[in-house]
Amino acid sequence: MNAAGPRIVIIGGGAGGLELATQLGHKLGRKNRAQIILVDKNRTHIWKPLLHEVATGSLDSDLDGVVYSAHAAKHGYQFQLGTFCGLNAETKQITMAPIADDSGHTILPERQISYDKLVIAIGSVSNDFNTPGVKENCFFLDSHQQANRFHDALLDSFTRVHQSESINQLNIAIVGGGATGVELSAELYHVTEMLKIYGLSKMTAEKLNIHLIEAGPRILPALPERIAGSARRELTKLGVNVMENTRISEATAQGFVTSEGEMIEANLMLWAAGVKAPDFIKSIELFELNRANQIMVKPSLLSTVDEAIYVIGDCCACQQADGSFVPPRAQSAHQMAECVEKNIIHELNGEPREAYTYVDHGSLVNLSRFSTVGSLMGNLTKNSMFIEGRIARLVYISLYRMHQRAIHGSVKTLGLWFAEKVMRVVRPRMKLH
């Protein structure tokens, strides 16, 4: 333990990790009761539920991201850039992979960071279920870099259709009828309608052909059936070809092959079917894992194998009383961060830890400017309250504002809202580069 108190290392600056680092920075770091270190492989943070907007250009990650180093300086914690690649529980050290520049020159060699308390918040990645050809031919939306790559390919496709005399259709196939696939489908129609404002008038929504492919009996399987039905109707009205009960057996350069042998041709293919914790977590050979590589935890969110390691967010396997696992959602990560914040402070004060209980505040799906549908209250009441339209849209936006408030405070969140209003006047409504 160092002179400034225990060293608390948080791996992963997603919704849960960044909120936890911020709150511990305020309550412990600024008062020199602990040294708080946040580690992430990226320099900036984008709220993961907004990655589909980065992918379509509705959101500019360069302008709307949170720069970790600048944020750390203001909120009482330290930031270290790097990729977590190893863990020694006996010596209480994590290993960071070497950092190289674009030319391959080493910026930093492999190094170790010691900890007294460790919080693993490394999030999740798409689960391709070992489907042949997916890694080679599909885009993913696990990070803002991947979202930017899809955005570049989308702009290239828009340009090709606009400037070609022979190409009259842009086919996009999305595997996975969860929130990401559903929201991306609607957002693609929204940005296509805006193209005529920016000179790409020949690339119209009529030339956009989107296949939304879901292996299960309905889209949005984790949400109530009424929400799924409403979202399906809205997507169908837009022109999306919603394909339920359709399993993909292979991805090729030409498109997806179904288990029935049908070819779904596509110019752009995106995989958003299921999530799992990153595969490398298995190579550590320390933790008890579930089938999705998530780390099993005790009710306090401590790992089942080590009293010095907490786990939060999508990589956390927290089993509920009914045997199900807490779903990998932003609201889960937010609640877990609050629980671990309390438990770390309780430990410092010699008080007992609290058990984590997931509270479902409901689910919302944003279909761009066309519609928003969802349910509020979740298991807080016997019956969820179904909402849609403008009220649902306002509630959806408020979830992001709550995240901003947790990492910036009320005053800066209000300032960011005002700045966004001003920027809408002076910058394009979609990113075109």
Side-chain angles (χ1 to χ4, degrees), residues 316-336:
C316 174
C318 182
Q319 200 160 17
Q320 302 181 92
D322 64 358
S324 65
F325 288 98
V326 174
R329 297 180 184 170
Q331 63 174 312
S332 314
H334 169 75
Q335 293 171 22
M336 287 177 174

Side-chain angles (χ1 to χ4, degrees), residues 361-412:
H361 291 299
S363 304
L364 292 165
V365 178
N366 180 36
L367 304 179
S368 189
R369 67 170 181 80
F370 304 107
S371 180
T372 300
V373 295
S375 63
L376 291 182
M377 305 308 289
N379 58 16
L380 294 181
T381 60
K382 291 182 180 179
N383 296 303
S384 297
M385 180 175 67
F386 180 81
I387 61 170
E388 59 184 327
R390 289 185 178 180
I391 294 175
R393 173 67 178 168
L394 288 172
V395 175
Y396 184 89
I397 293 171
S398 74
L399 297 176
Y400 180 46
R401 299 302 178 203
M402 288 170 61
H403 172 64
Q404 287 183 312
R405 186 167 177 259
I407 61 175
H408 294 305
S410 300
V411 174
K412 187 168 182 181

Side-chain angles (χ1 to χ4, degrees), residues 46 59-66 416 423 427-428 431 433:
I46 288 286
L59 189 75
D60 189 339
S61 60
D62 293 333
L63 296 173
D64 295 288
V66 177
L416 287 169
M423 291 301 287
R427 80 181 191 200
K431 185 181 178 186
H433 62 279

Side-chain angles (χ1 to χ4, degrees), residues 179 218-228 329 362-365 373:
R218 65 176 174 88
I219 61 171
L220 301 174
L223 304 186
E225 193 165 342
R226 188 177 177 186
I227 297 176
R329 297 180 184 170
S363 304
L364 292 165
V365 178
V373 295

